[in-house]
Amino acid sequence: MKKAIEEILRQFELIKLERDEEIRQYKEIIQNTPLEERKKRGLAWYPVTIDKEEFGIGANLSLELSRTTQHDIPHKFSNGQTASLYLNNKEKPSVNGIIAKAKDNKLVLVLNIDELPDWIEDGKLGLDLLYNEGTYKEMERALRRVATAEKDRLAELRNVILGYAKPNVDSYEFSSDFPELNDSQNRAIQKIVLSKDVAVVHGPPGTGKTTTIVKAIEVSIKNKRRVLACAPSNTAVDLLTSKLAAKGISVVRLGHPARVNESLQKNTLDAKLQAQPDFKRLKLLRREAITQQEKAAKFKRSFGPVEREARRDARKLARELRFEARELEKYLLKKVITDTQVVTSTMAGAGSFVLKDSLFETVFLDEAGQALEPACWIPITRAMKVVFAGDHQQLPPTVKSKEAMKKGLGETLFEKCINRTDASVMLETQYRMHEHIMGFSNQQFYNGKLQAHESVKDQVLGDSESDQLLKTAVEFVDTSGCAFEEKVNEQTLSTGNPLEADLLFKHLTLLLNLYKSHNQQKVDPKLSIGIIAPYREQVRQLRKSLKEHPDLLEWEDNMSIHTVDGFQGQERDIIYISMVRSNDEGKIGFLSDFRRINVALTRAKKKLVVVGDSATIGNHKFYQQFLDYIESVNAYQSAWSYLY
């Protein structure tokens, strides 16, 4: 349909705006910024040392690197990113790789080379983040296919998903009655099975979305139908892969091994390829090709007809061996893919050459509420039927271009499908949190439809009448009037609040001491604690402040401190949220992203403590409603109660 095609064509413009902005930012922060400034902003390490060199993930060369200066500056390096290892501030060549692990002042960089270059020992080494446009190319390629599709399955899916044609439903009888699933989960399975074109599973926090999707995949592959399951992030793909593998399902995980969790390496395409009986022959062919190439290279310029003929024969044989090796590898890769029940990958990874010409009976797009629309079309080009799963009331996709956001890039295909079709089912029973923890988000985001399961609705840390801290599930600790003013880090331009961080740990210390006294004075190794801040600077302050509270160090192994994004899809027994913002102007910055706050508010199982300044946040309708909810469940506390 013309309107559907026009809508797809607009995505080209939006993606161009986004790519241009990402390139601009990259040039600004990497190419056009002096090294010292990049170091201060956590975008470069210089100098770095190579602590260890080994062949690890996917038989690729891995380097363990350490930065030798500015250890206290938070950095932007993280798993899965592309980085450049260079010599003497880029005066000489560089080599690129993918970050497999990044923590504090150490990281592991995986290189696609057999040995380190000669220049590696010629001077000081540095590390920079790299811009990678591969995903943009895959998105544009997919959009082109979708826009030009005509009178085929892809054209039909395009029109249905965008709401220009009505979804078709099978008429045969299918009753989903799996006893391990609740009513809404069983309705979702039924919707998925009977839908011919598209189904949408809306899974609010703790409602067992992943459990439902895994069961749906199990049902889908019963008749030897192959499935492609994708998600926008490597972490989400790894979770799905591990859940499927645990069910005994044959699953292969696409993607660079450095981007895959260590526990899932056996499920990677590399590992599956190496397990093929003919892989030894493939290695021999490659080795012999290298031998013949080296043999040809040994001949000097001054040589006669015999030597020239020998060189020509060696080069010819090397070419033939390389061709045979490539053809054998293609055959083995195709065999791995066709023999596998479920293929998993990121959205962009679904554009891999190993899936060329592959069609899947069903394509599942998990966490689709976090994926850009053009990214979703990549796996859809390989689908006969599409299943979306996610929650558009949690983390949205990241959009760097303000203009692209204004023109609609922030609206996901998941949202469009929910709003334009009748193909969605919402999961309504949550198994994570106390009903008071759930309550505010339920009102604001889910129209009051969520129900807390009996097994969790009343769960708390302790039921002693004398210890309200343990007995109550929710608290808001109000710092209004305490002069806990926010501070901006001039180097990173991120906001922190050191005094609020200190107060948070005082409260946590009191809570854990009470908990320990009810637990035979022992640290409970199973008790999980999460501390969330919307700003990286506050995360840094919290990690620093933790070391200044010796009573908490024995709980350090139970504790994790991250931004909101670091807790997506996770849960903890106890969650503390530091709101950070405290100013006379009522500015709230990142706190205005209410979907991110929804994520933070729904991570806790038994205890949620929010620390913030009501005078700053209360000027905004959303937070005034939050404060009203706090009053309604008798969860308000003044910070003055914990200062002395």
Side-chain angles (χ1 to χ4, degrees):
M1 290 187 180
K2 186 178 178 181
K3 287 186 177 180
I5 294 171
E6 288 174 353
E7 194 167 339
I8 294 297
L9 292 176
R10 282 198 295 274
Q11 293 293 321
F12 278 102
E13 177 193 353
L14 301 182
I15 283 300
K16 184 181 185 307
L17 289 171
E18 181 70 0
R19 174 158 54 185
D20 289 348
E21 176 59 20
E22 189 163 340
I23 291 172
R24 186 196 68 76
Q25 289 184 17
Y26 171 73
K27 287 181 177 178
E28 179 182 309
I29 64 178
I30 300 293
Q31 292 184 341
N32 301 333
T33 304
L35 176 61
E36 285 305 314
E37 181 62 25
R38 297 203 308 274
K39 288 168 64 178
K40 287 178 182 177
R41 293 167 67 176
L43 301 165
W45 286 4
Y46 186 86
V48 297
T49 59
I50 299 176
D51 301 334
K52 190 187 295 183
E53 172 190 341
E54 63 182 0
F55 284 92
I57 300 171
N60 291 313
L61 183 62
S62 295
L63 302 181
E64 184 179 291
L65 305 175
S66 295
R67 63 171 166 177
T68 57
T69 60
Q70 298 175 307
H71 291 168
D72 293 333
I73 294 178
H75 62 78
K76 304 290 178 65
F77 293 97
S78 61
N79 295 8
Q81 290 179 311
T82 307
S84 174
L85 181 68
Y86 58 86
L87 182 70
N88 292 344
N89 196 16
K90 292 200 168 177
E91 292 175 2
K92 291 188 179 179
S94 61
V95 61
N96 300 339
I98 293 171
I99 298 171
K101 294 179 187 175
K103 186 176 182 182
D104 299 330
N105 298 301
K106 287 183 178 292
L107 61 77
V108 174
L109 186 70
V110 180
L111 309 173
N112 287 319
I113 55 177
D114 295 326
E115 58 181 345
L116 289 176
D118 295 337
W119 51 260
I120 210 80
E121 296 180 357
D122 291 350
K124 291 182 178 179
L125 300 172
L127 193 71
D128 266 342
L129 284 177
L130 279 183
Y131 164 70
N132 187 351
E133 68 171 0
T135 299
Y136 287 102
K137 290 180 178 178
E138 291 296 345
M139 288 192 286
E140 288 177 347
R141 190 178 294 121
L143 287 173
R144 201 169 292 113
R145 284 189 63 188
V146 177
T148 56
E150 187 177 353
K151 296 180 181 179
D152 62 7
R153 186 59 183 145
L154 182 56
E156 291 172 350
L157 287 175
R158 175 195 63 206
N159 298 337
V160 169
I161 290 168
L162 291 175
Y164 297 105
K166 190 174 180 180
N168 295 299
V169 179
D170 265 322
S171 57
Y172 72 85
E173 290 291 324
F174 174 81
S175 177
S176 176
D177 190 22
F178 297 104
E180 69 271 31
L181 302 182
N182 62 45
D183 288 346
S184 61
Q185 289 173 327
N186 272 304
R187 284 200 304 275
I189 299 293
Q190 187 167 20
K191 173 73 79 172
I192 291 168
V193 171
L194 294 180
S195 295
K196 286 185 174 181
D197 305 309
V198 64
V200 183
V201 179
H202 178 197
T207 53
K209 171 181 63 66
T210 302
T211 298
T212 306
I213 293 305
V214 168
K215 175 56 72 174
I217 291 174
E218 282 188 89
V219 174
S220 298
I221 62 176
K222 272 190 175 178
N223 295 324
K224 295 184 178 180
R225 294 172 175 172
R226 293 193 307 136
V227 162
L228 174 63
C230 300
S233 71
N234 284 291
T235 301
V237 178
D238 284 347
L239 175 62
L240 202 51
T241 304
S242 66
K243 296 285 187 184
L244 292 166
K247 292 285 187 179
I249 293 170
S250 169
V251 55
V252 61
R253 167 71 158 94
L254 301 188
H256 194 291
R259 293 190 170 109
V260 181
N261 188 287
E262 282 186 21
S263 64
L264 298 172
Q265 289 300 313
K266 63 182 178 297
N267 298 107
T268 62
L269 184 60
D270 290 54
K272 299 275 187 179
L273 177 65
Q274 291 172 31
Q276 292 291 307
D278 281 341
F279 183 73
K280 289 181 180 178
R281 180 165 162 252
L282 177 62
K283 285 178 68 177
L284 286 172
L285 287 169
R286 286 171 172 169
R287 192 178 302 138
E288 183 59 25
I290 292 171
T291 300
Q292 292 300 323
Q293 193 66 41
E294 290 173 345
K295 181 179 177 182
K298 286 179 181 178
F299 291 101
K300 308 294 183 184
R301 286 185 181 179
S302 55
F303 61 134
V306 175
E307 289 82 5
R308 186 175 290 109
E309 183 70 22
R311 183 179 69 172
R312 188 163 46 243
D313 290 344
R315 284 179 172 174
K316 181 184 177 185
L317 183 54
R319 284 196 301 272
E320 290 172 349
L321 289 166
R322 283 198 299 270
F323 176 79
E324 188 178 350
R326 282 196 301 270
E327 291 301 304
L328 178 57
E329 184 180 48
K330 285 180 188 176
Y331 167 77
L332 293 178
L333 288 171
K334 186 174 182 179
K335 189 174 187 304
V336 169
I337 297 298
T338 53
D339 289 351
T340 299
Q341 293 173 300
V342 182
V343 176
T344 62
S345 76
T346 60
M347 308 294 194
S352 171
F353 75 94
V354 299
L355 295 184
K356 185 180 179 182
D357 302 325
S358 291
L359 273 179
F360 294 85
E361 183 71 25
T362 309
V363 169
F364 287 81
L365 304 182
D366 196 13
E367 302 295 0
Q370 296 178 49
L372 293 174
E373 177 178 333
C376 289
W377 288 113
I378 300 170
I380 292 173
T381 61
R382 307 197 183 284
M384 297 300 290
K385 179 167 81 174
V386 181
V387 178
F388 292 93
D391 183 7
H392 53 302
Q393 303 295 356
Q394 295 189 64
L395 290 184
T398 300
V399 178
K400 295 179 180 179
S401 167
K402 291 181 181 178
E403 188 178 356
M405 174 64 86
K406 189 166 68 174
K407 289 185 175 181
L409 189 57
E411 184 181 10
T412 64
L413 201 55
F414 180 83
E415 290 174 276
K416 288 181 179 180
C417 204
I418 278 189
N419 295 331
R420 300 180 185 184
T421 73
D422 59 356
S424 65
V425 172
M426 177 174 149
L427 305 181
E428 297 174 352
T429 303
Q430 67 86 10
Y431 298 86
R432 175 180 296 162
M433 62 200 105
H434 189 286
E435 60 182 352
H436 285 176
I437 298 173
M438 174 193 77
F440 177 68
S441 288
N442 193 22
Q443 292 175 6
Q444 290 290 317
F445 299 100
Y446 306 110
N447 300 315
K449 291 182 179 179
L450 275 183
Q451 297 291 322
H453 190 262
E454 286 294 325
S455 62
V456 300
K457 67 189 293 286
D458 298 317
Q459 65 180 2
V460 288
L461 292 173
D463 55 8
S464 172
E465 290 293 333
S466 60
D467 292 325
Q468 287 298 307
L469 271 180
L470 300 180
K471 189 182 176 186
T472 55
V474 180
E475 282 185 66
F476 175 72
V477 182
D478 189 2
T479 65
S480 177
C482 296
F484 284 8
E485 292 189 3
E486 64 192 54
K487 299 180 186 298
V488 176
N489 184 317
E490 293 182 2
Q491 293 179 333
T492 63
L493 303 180
S494 184
T495 306
N497 195 322
L499 292 175
E500 185 174 286
D502 188 57
L503 172 68
L504 185 152
F505 283 124
K506 285 181 179 178
H507 188 285
L508 179 57
T509 300
L510 181 59
L511 178 69
L512 291 178
N513 284 342
L514 279 171
Y515 182 82
K516 198 165 76 166
S517 71
H518 284 76
N519 195 40
Q520 291 81 45
Q521 298 299 327
K522 294 178 181 177
V523 171
D524 181 358
K526 295 181 180 179
L527 187 73
S528 55
I529 306 158
I531 303 174
I532 303 175
Y535 292 89
R536 290 184 182 274
E537 174 61 18
Q538 186 68 348
V539 169
R540 188 185 73 82
Q541 291 283 353
L542 287 161
R543 289 173 177 169
K544 179 182 176 184
S545 185
L546 175 60
K547 301 184 186 304
E548 297 165 3
H549 290 77
D551 288 352
L552 289 175
L553 294 180
E554 62 181 342
W555 294 92
E556 195 170 10
D557 290 342
N558 302 57
M559 206 177 299
S560 48
I561 305 172
H562 292 293
T563 59
V564 179
D565 297 58
F567 281 96
Q568 172 69 8
Q570 299 186 37
E571 62 186 21
R572 299 289 188 275
D573 294 309
I574 301 169
I575 286 286
Y576 276 72
I577 304 173
S578 173
M579 302 295 273
V580 181
R581 301 311 297 258
S582 181
N583 54 73
D584 295 335
E585 297 81 21
K587 294 179 179 178
I588 62 171
F590 287 156
L591 298 187
S592 62
D593 189 343
F594 303 137
R595 287 186 290 182
R596 270 190 160 75
I597 296 304
N598 182 36
V599 173
L601 293 173
T602 53
R603 299 305 96 192
K605 295 162 66 176
K606 301 177 181 179
K607 182 77 174 183
L608 171 67
V609 181
V610 181
V611 184
D613 183 348
S614 66
T616 299
I617 66 174
N619 291 318
H620 301 263
K621 181 181 177 181
F622 177 85
Y623 289 105
Q624 186 53 60
Q625 290 172 334
F626 171 71
L627 294 171
D628 290 343
Y629 176 77
I630 289 296
E631 292 284 0
S632 74
V633 295
N634 196 29
Y636 180 87
Q637 297 286 337
S638 171
W640 292 102
S641 306
Y642 302 100
L643 291 179
Y644 304 104

